Amino acid sequence: MSQSNRIKTGGRIDRNKPVSFTFDGKTFQGFEGDTLASALLANNVHLMGRSFKYHRPRGVLSAGSEEPNAIVTIGSGKRSDPNTRATVVEMFDGLEASSQNCWPSLNFDIGGINNKLSRFFPAGFYYKTFMWPKSMWMKYEEIIRASAGMGVAPEEGDPDTYAVKHEYCDVLIAGGGPAGLSAALTAGRTGARVILIDEQNEFGGSLLSDHGAEIDGKPAMDWVDAALAELKEMEEVTILNRTAVIGYFDHNFITAMEKITDHLGPQDSNDTPRQRFWKIRAKQVVLASGSFERPMLFGDNDRPGVMLASAVRTYINRYGVLPGKDMVVFTNNDSAYKTALDAFANGGRVEIVDTRVDPKGPLVEQARSLDITIHTNAAIVGTKGYRRLKGVEVMELNEAGDGVKGTKFHIGCDVVAMSSGWNPAVNLFSQARGKLRYDEELTSFVPDHCQWDNYSVGSCNGTFTLEGALSEGLEAGLKAAQAAGFGEGQSVPATPSAPEVEHGDMRTLWYIPMDRPLARGKKHFHEFQNDSTVADIHLAAREGYISVEHLKRYTTTGMGTDQGKTSNVNAIAIMAQIRGVSIPQVGTTTFRPPFVPVTFGAIAGHDVEDLFLQARKTPMHSAHDRNGAIYEDVGDWKRPYYFPKAGEDMHAAVQRECKAVRDSVGIMDGSTLGKLDIQGKDASRLLNLLYTNAWSKLAPGKCRYGLMCNEHGMVFDDGVTTCIGENHYHMTTTTGGAGRVANWIEEWIQTEYPDWDVYATSVTEQWAVSILNGPKSRKVLEKLVDIDLSAEAFPFMAMKECHIAGVPARIYRISFTGELSYEINVPARYGLHVWDALLEAGEEFDICQYGTETMHVLRAEKGFIIAGQDTDGSVTPMDLDMDWIVSKKKGDFLGRRSFTRTDTARTDRKQLVGVLTEDPNVVLMEGAHLVRELKDKPPMDMLGHVTSSYMSPNCGRSIAMALIRDGKNLKGQSFMVPTMSGKAHKVTITDPIFFDKENKRIDGEPS
Amino acid sequence: MVETAIKKVSPLDGLAGPVGGNVKLTSNGFVGKVIIRGDSDNKDFVMAVKDVTGVEIPTTALTFNEGETYSIYWMGPDEWMIMTPEDGEVALETALREKLGETPSQVVNVSDYYASMRLSGPAAREVLKKGSPLDLHPSKFKAGNCTGTRFAHATIFMVQRDEEPTYDINVRISFAEYLWNYFVEASREFG
Amino acid sequence: MLVIKCPFCGERDQTEFTCHGEAHIARPENPDELTDEQWGDYIFFRQNIKGYQYERWSHDHGCGRWFNALRNSVTDQFVDTYKIGEEKPAIPSDEGK
């Protein structure tokens, strides 16, 4: 029968908007305003999932975000959303839901055998069993994950969009119940910037379910509506519903996830983001996050139909659903009597089992007056039913509450509504490093103190009366606004009246004894999602895992998607009982974000696909696209790697490019090189500090190569710096080192030498750089420039300012290949124009566009280093055999003192050498080690490793560079290089210059 | 010498803007930009800049001063950006260097270093909030303010022109396409 | 995620900054006169205090300035930030709490 559990009238659902949905393929009806859980309960479906370890049938426990059991997958295909709590999924027409953790079906799950074998699956089972043999762990893990896993993530791309938003406020209020709304009112009235956040679709918190509650003599929800109406009029107040605060970090940094379209179902257009991830900085925070009811821990307390009393009440009052016709309320306090009364009023048959010997108070009296049966000093010791609760077994408790007596009797029922008291939701407070205090009277942890500016109000502060919540909220809202600099002189308004009936005392029993030993036949689950039982806590204690951190990990308490919202305190209390210590002595674990599960999509926001990472492009990028470049990522830059012609693979293209440059002329894009403009009277003093060589005498128009070391004496960057004019220099750095060098210079200027007259500013992107290389470079360039390019007029290591193809340029005659080379710098806007002009001018010489790989080969042929490839932060200039660039005369510079440290001054350090393979066709793997003596297996005496290795078409063989221990003295000697595949190559150590040792080619062909 | 028609290229050329009217995004073209560094306590420095540009160097953090031809933006306690109409930068650079002479300072043409784009419209602030950790509330960052900050993975220099609001965003040209596309995607929900 | 007060730009999000470790480590004026051990102290050894420590930060995605800060490394609370060259603020008396 459709919606057999639906109450005829009432609730906050919209009965004019019926919807239909499917669960595991079967179609059901519900209403807008339902959650998936309430709609299933309305259809008398309790079985919603299987548990993680034992695959036991599970129903819904709660009506909120603390739900551990009813975990389902929403949607299908690209849009499937696994591990979603049915209790927070808003109903829409066409919703598709399916159960998890079961195969082949929810009703018949083969994994349920784990339940039968549960004596062999105690806590810590996985750790103990699968630790051995160690080598198999990875394999075991795969199998465990597959059989115990939760929902399945979709494999296709997510068609929805997501967004991130940064926001600031004076007062952030987490929770929109009576306390949070009160705080928002007083804070908002000061004109402060307020953000009010609640995870539900509607504001009101506990009042949404509290049928009969009154404020100022009117229904409490009237007060909620009025408060919201007032808040909506306030310009500086932002109201966010369907938004869960998920993280509370240092300096009042709050993260929250807003569900924008989830409640509408899949959207045709993804213009509107599905979810928004808020990053909020609040001056003051008011926590009004409510509380969680504690389950009773009795034998087989996990059967579908066993629910929290407050949840049953929510389903009755808010959703118009009576979860079952025959209800047993099992409680240790008065609050669950409200559930009993509401169920009774809606036609339920109700009996109450109360652990207390002599419960009294108005609610108890009311129940008695209605002839509701109350079994006092009694407890449920077991349940009947597997996929659905069929009844409970009840016995009398002994005086201490640790045993039962008398005769066991049976009550037939299909729902148990249980309450073992309440835990303030201190999760966010604890995330923010807040320290908790144990309240003996409430038998729960409450906020104590926190280093960040926040206020806990209402039931999350242990204040469980409505008037108390309103009063605390009003006061905290104003205080918070005032602390943020608003509402000076304002006073806290009078608290509206909200009379409530008195509640009697509790009788807290952390778990309910049975008529047989613990764990014999029935399980007391304290942690539903991860199937952890009271017996597991005893086992943990017996095995020595008595600290709260060990307890958590050993029993997996609190490690599910619900983060132990209903289980943690019970577990701690039971451990305290076992150890005979107080609950505070056991202590709590620290709560961690996220408070509720958050999607990866929301965290990523727009940072996906093309916007995932910035692709930095040079001004000539469109030409490279046009000319078929394959790109290499260098930092964030897209640099042409090589330019293949039809049918060429990378090797063929690079070999061709390398030959073309040395035979005629090549062109590459050097725009990514780091560039700094340096000006001031102390500019050369700065260069002398930064570089190892001397800079005082560099004339305008002249260039010089330099090595930079850090204070450890290790090379960290290199490049050419040119004197542009008096006290004016242009420095170049490696592409990857540009940012590092700029920061390095700023650090020294700003922190150590602020009195120097020198400034350095990055100009990397100001200049587009086309680099001509090869004997015919001059012939190409002279077609486009207005200056004399002869070697006499424009010698090596000089710079000329001129015009090229009609635009102003600085041309540097420097070379990273040993060939005649011009580095043509023009303002970036002209980069493409000049590049195209050079290609056209070079056509008659078969000018060859080449990429970074050819550049690497050509420089290696000449033995030029690449900082960061042939150096690794542990290499001195002397190790590179570059003593010639280390000035002995100019005085101090960065790193110099370190050159004479005992370790740096050793002569047998790893040094840069050339390496030639015996077989000229073998290209060694970069990173391969040279060994003194080849053995069958490691360890072998390793001399060092290959840093650069290529096939050089210009040398007609492979070449390599390596950092080798005492390498300078090993030249001419042969060693072996073992490979990953078990082979080994014979190599000889050589000088690292393989081509044009005499440097004859630098001036190219005369024009 | 071969003469060909000179083409200027901006990384923003040909990029499509946002759809709908709540966010506008346009290129500011080749506006001239010169960075000047020096000591604002040094009268010679301040006077030289004033003489050349007719504009007072702003010494209040996060503000700028506008004149007829030039406007000067605070980038840091010893660093300012002067903006000029297109192609004015070389003359400005020369004039400043001449006027400053021996006065400790730096003058750098960065006209091609930064691309400049204008983000405006009723939802412009909301777009910026997606990637910038700055407090953009009208009482905190308003017309007349400028600052360095970041947007997503890019470092930007941002100027607020008016309360519409209109923002001019300067970013290193290598990041310009990325930033533009980010703004376009981030604008989509505002129509 | 911290809020850091740049001495020039005011309070900004941590993501605009870079931390550079211990502050007030002056480069020795005469490195040649130092023993290896003394030079090693300068280049390698940092205090890494649990509690209040003086640190250098730079406002990379802002004004680009370097500055100093006094921060409690346990609570992540800043006592103050100050410009390079300015006198360092005193360590609060609650040290050790």
Side-chain angles (χ1 to χ4, degrees), chain A residues 966-980:
Chain A
D966 201 22
K968 286 182 207 171
N969 290 320
L970 297 179
K971 284 180 187 168
Q973 296 193 37
S974 292
F975 299 98
M976 295 303 284
V977 176
T979 68
M980 303 273 278

PDB file of all heavy atoms in Angstrom, chain A residues 966-980:
ATOM      1  N   ASP A 966      85.157  11.994  -7.273  1.00  0.00           N
ATOM      2  CA  ASP A 966      86.555  12.148  -7.681  1.00  0.00           C
ATOM      3  C   ASP A 966      86.705  12.056  -9.205  1.00  0.00           C
ATOM      4  O   ASP A 966      87.723  11.633  -9.733  1.00  0.00           O
ATOM      5  CB  ASP A 966      87.415  11.060  -6.994  1.00  0.00           C
ATOM      6  CG  ASP A 966      88.895  11.461  -6.947  1.00  0.00           C
ATOM      7  OD1 ASP A 966      89.193  12.685  -7.042  1.00  0.00           O
ATOM      8  OD2 ASP A 966      89.739  10.560  -6.843  1.00  0.00           O
ATOM      9  N   GLY A 967      85.645  12.476  -9.908  1.00  0.00           N
ATOM     10  CA  GLY A 967      85.568  12.296 -11.357  1.00  0.00           C
ATOM     11  C   GLY A 967      86.739  12.889 -12.124  1.00  0.00           C
ATOM     12  O   GLY A 967      87.213  12.314 -13.111  1.00  0.00           O
ATOM     13  N   LYS A 968      87.220  14.056 -11.691  1.00  0.00           N
ATOM     14  CA  LYS A 968      88.308  14.712 -12.425  1.00  0.00           C
ATOM     15  C   LYS A 968      89.529  13.806 -12.539  1.00  0.00           C
ATOM     16  O   LYS A 968      90.264  13.870 -13.517  1.00  0.00           O
ATOM     17  CB  LYS A 968      88.719  16.011 -11.710  1.00  0.00           C
ATOM     18  CG  LYS A 968      87.734  17.165 -11.873  1.00  0.00           C
ATOM     19  CD  LYS A 968      88.269  18.415 -11.155  1.00  0.00           C
ATOM     20  CE  LYS A 968      87.119  19.304 -10.723  1.00  0.00           C
ATOM     21  NZ  LYS A 968      87.547  20.407  -9.851  1.00  0.00           N
ATOM     22  N   ASN A 969      89.729  12.982 -11.512  1.00  0.00           N
ATOM     23  CA  ASN A 969      90.892  12.103 -11.528  1.00  0.00           C
ATOM     24  C   ASN A 969      90.629  10.750 -12.187  1.00  0.00           C
ATOM     25  O   ASN A 969      91.514   9.912 -12.237  1.00  0.00           O
ATOM     26  CB  ASN A 969      91.395  11.864 -10.093  1.00  0.00           C
ATOM     27  CG  ASN A 969      92.009  13.130  -9.528  1.00  0.00           C
ATOM     28  OD1 ASN A 969      92.711  13.861 -10.246  1.00  0.00           O
ATOM     29  ND2 ASN A 969      91.719  13.429  -8.268  1.00  0.00           N
ATOM     30  N   LEU A 970      89.409  10.554 -12.614  1.00  0.00           N
ATOM     31  CA  LEU A 970      89.080   9.245 -13.189  1.00  0.00           C
ATOM     32  C   LEU A 970      88.982   9.289 -14.708  1.00  0.00           C
ATOM     33  O   LEU A 970      88.596   8.305 -15.335  1.00  0.00           O
ATOM     34  CB  LEU A 970      87.755   8.726 -12.610  1.00  0.00           C
ATOM     35  CG  LEU A 970      87.737   8.473 -11.091  1.00  0.00           C
ATOM     36  CD1 LEU A 970      86.358   7.991 -10.654  1.00  0.00           C
ATOM     37  CD2 LEU A 970      88.806   7.452 -10.684  1.00  0.00           C
ATOM     38  N   LYS A 971      89.288  10.444 -15.294  1.00  0.00           N
ATOM     39  CA  LYS A 971      89.133  10.562 -16.748  1.00  0.00           C
ATOM     40  C   LYS A 971      90.000   9.522 -17.452  1.00  0.00           C
ATOM     41  O   LYS A 971      91.147   9.314 -17.079  1.00  0.00           O
ATOM     42  CB  LYS A 971      89.488  11.977 -17.205  1.00  0.00           C
ATOM     43  CG  LYS A 971      88.353  12.962 -16.871  1.00  0.00           C
ATOM     44  CD  LYS A 971      88.620  14.389 -17.301  1.00  0.00           C
ATOM     45  CE  LYS A 971      87.511  15.271 -16.744  1.00  0.00           C
ATOM     46  NZ  LYS A 971      87.820  16.703 -16.853  1.00  0.00           N
ATOM     47  N   GLY A 972      89.437   8.876 -18.452  1.00  0.00           N
ATOM     48  CA  GLY A 972      90.139   7.827 -19.171  1.00  0.00           C
ATOM     49  C   GLY A 972      89.861   6.445 -18.626  1.00  0.00           C
ATOM     50  O   GLY A 972      90.122   5.444 -19.286  1.00  0.00           O
ATOM     51  N   GLN A 973      89.293   6.375 -17.425  1.00  0.00           N
ATOM     52  CA  GLN A 973      89.030   5.058 -16.834  1.00  0.00           C
ATOM     53  C   GLN A 973      87.656   4.549 -17.233  1.00  0.00           C
ATOM     54  O   GLN A 973      86.747   5.324 -17.502  1.00  0.00           O
ATOM     55  CB  GLN A 973      89.134   5.133 -15.312  1.00  0.00           C
ATOM     56  CG  GLN A 973      90.540   5.483 -14.834  1.00  0.00           C
ATOM     57  CD  GLN A 973      90.699   5.240 -13.349  1.00  0.00           C
ATOM     58  OE1 GLN A 973      90.159   4.279 -12.802  1.00  0.00           O
ATOM     59  NE2 GLN A 973      91.468   6.116 -12.706  1.00  0.00           N
ATOM     60  N   SER A 974      87.517   3.237 -17.225  1.00  0.00           N
ATOM     61  CA  SER A 974      86.248   2.627 -17.639  1.00  0.00           C
ATOM     62  C   SER A 974      85.526   1.999 -16.454  1.00  0.00           C
ATOM     63  O   SER A 974      86.159   1.437 -15.549  1.00  0.00           O
ATOM     64  CB  SER A 974      86.510   1.542 -18.691  1.00  0.00           C
ATOM     65  OG  SER A 974      86.955   2.163 -19.868  1.00  0.00           O
ATOM     66  N   PHE A 975      84.205   2.122 -16.503  1.00  0.00           N
ATOM     67  CA  PHE A 975      83.353   1.566 -15.456  1.00  0.00           C
ATOM     68  C   PHE A 975      82.124   0.959 -16.096  1.00  0.00           C
ATOM     69  O   PHE A 975      81.953   1.031 -17.308  1.00  0.00           O
ATOM     70  CB  PHE A 975      82.965   2.660 -14.450  1.00  0.00           C
ATOM     71  CG  PHE A 975      84.158   3.271 -13.763  1.00  0.00           C
ATOM     72  CD1 PHE A 975      84.689   4.476 -14.214  1.00  0.00           C
ATOM     73  CD2 PHE A 975      84.770   2.623 -12.705  1.00  0.00           C
ATOM     74  CE1 PHE A 975      85.797   5.032 -13.607  1.00  0.00           C
ATOM     75  CE2 PHE A 975      85.889   3.176 -12.083  1.00  0.00           C
ATOM     76  CZ  PHE A 975      86.408   4.382 -12.534  1.00  0.00           C
ATOM     77  N   MET A 976      81.250   0.405 -15.244  1.00  0.00           N
ATOM     78  CA  MET A 976      80.031  -0.209 -15.766  1.00  0.00           C
ATOM     79  C   MET A 976      78.805   0.566 -15.300  1.00  0.00           C
ATOM     80  O   MET A 976      78.782   1.129 -14.216  1.00  0.00           O
ATOM     81  CB  MET A 976      79.922  -1.664 -15.285  1.00  0.00           C
ATOM     82  CG  MET A 976      81.019  -2.585 -15.812  1.00  0.00           C
ATOM     83  SD  MET A 976      81.102  -2.613 -17.615  1.00  0.00           S
ATOM     84  CE  MET A 976      79.672  -3.659 -17.970  1.00  0.00           C
ATOM     85  N   VAL A 977      77.799   0.561 -16.146  1.00  0.00           N
ATOM     86  CA  VAL A 977      76.502   1.147 -15.788  1.00  0.00           C
ATOM     87  C   VAL A 977      75.441   0.046 -15.880  1.00  0.00           C
ATOM     88  O   VAL A 977      75.021  -0.334 -16.969  1.00  0.00           O
ATOM     89  CB  VAL A 977      76.133   2.303 -16.734  1.00  0.00           C
ATOM     90  CG1 VAL A 977      74.730   2.837 -16.394  1.00  0.00           C
ATOM     91  CG2 VAL A 977      77.154   3.424 -16.659  1.00  0.00           C
ATOM     92  N   PRO A 978      75.019  -0.501 -14.718  1.00  0.00           N
ATOM     93  CA  PRO A 978      73.951  -1.501 -14.749  1.00  0.00           C
ATOM     94  C   PRO A 978      72.617  -0.842 -15.110  1.00  0.00           C
ATOM     95  O   PRO A 978      72.398   0.308 -14.768  1.00  0.00           O
ATOM     96  CB  PRO A 978      73.907  -2.049 -13.322  1.00  0.00           C
ATOM     97  CG  PRO A 978      74.821  -1.209 -12.506  1.00  0.00           C
ATOM     98  CD  PRO A 978      75.439  -0.167 -13.353  1.00  0.00           C
ATOM     99  N   THR A 979      71.769  -1.577 -15.799  1.00  0.00           N
ATOM    100  CA  THR A 979      70.475  -1.022 -16.186  1.00  0.00           C
ATOM    101  C   THR A 979      69.357  -1.715 -15.439  1.00  0.00           C
ATOM    102  O   THR A 979      69.564  -2.766 -14.821  1.00  0.00           O
ATOM    103  CB  THR A 979      70.220  -1.182 -17.692  1.00  0.00           C
ATOM    104  OG1 THR A 979      70.059  -2.578 -17.967  1.00  0.00           O
ATOM    105  CG2 THR A 979      71.382  -0.660 -18.515  1.00  0.00           C
ATOM    106  N   MET A 980      68.176  -1.132 -15.532  1.00  0.00           N
ATOM    107  CA  MET A 980      67.003  -1.683 -14.836  1.00  0.00           C
ATOM    108  C   MET A 980      66.681  -3.086 -15.344  1.00  0.00           C
ATOM    109  O   MET A 980      66.147  -3.914 -14.615  1.00  0.00           O
ATOM    110  CB  MET A 980      65.787  -0.779 -15.092  1.00  0.00           C
ATOM    111  CG  MET A 980      65.978   0.653 -14.684  1.00  0.00           C
ATOM    112  SD  MET A 980      65.564   0.938 -12.968  1.00  0.00           S
ATOM    113  CE  MET A 980      63.789   1.112 -13.114  1.00  0.00           C
TER     114      MET A 980
END
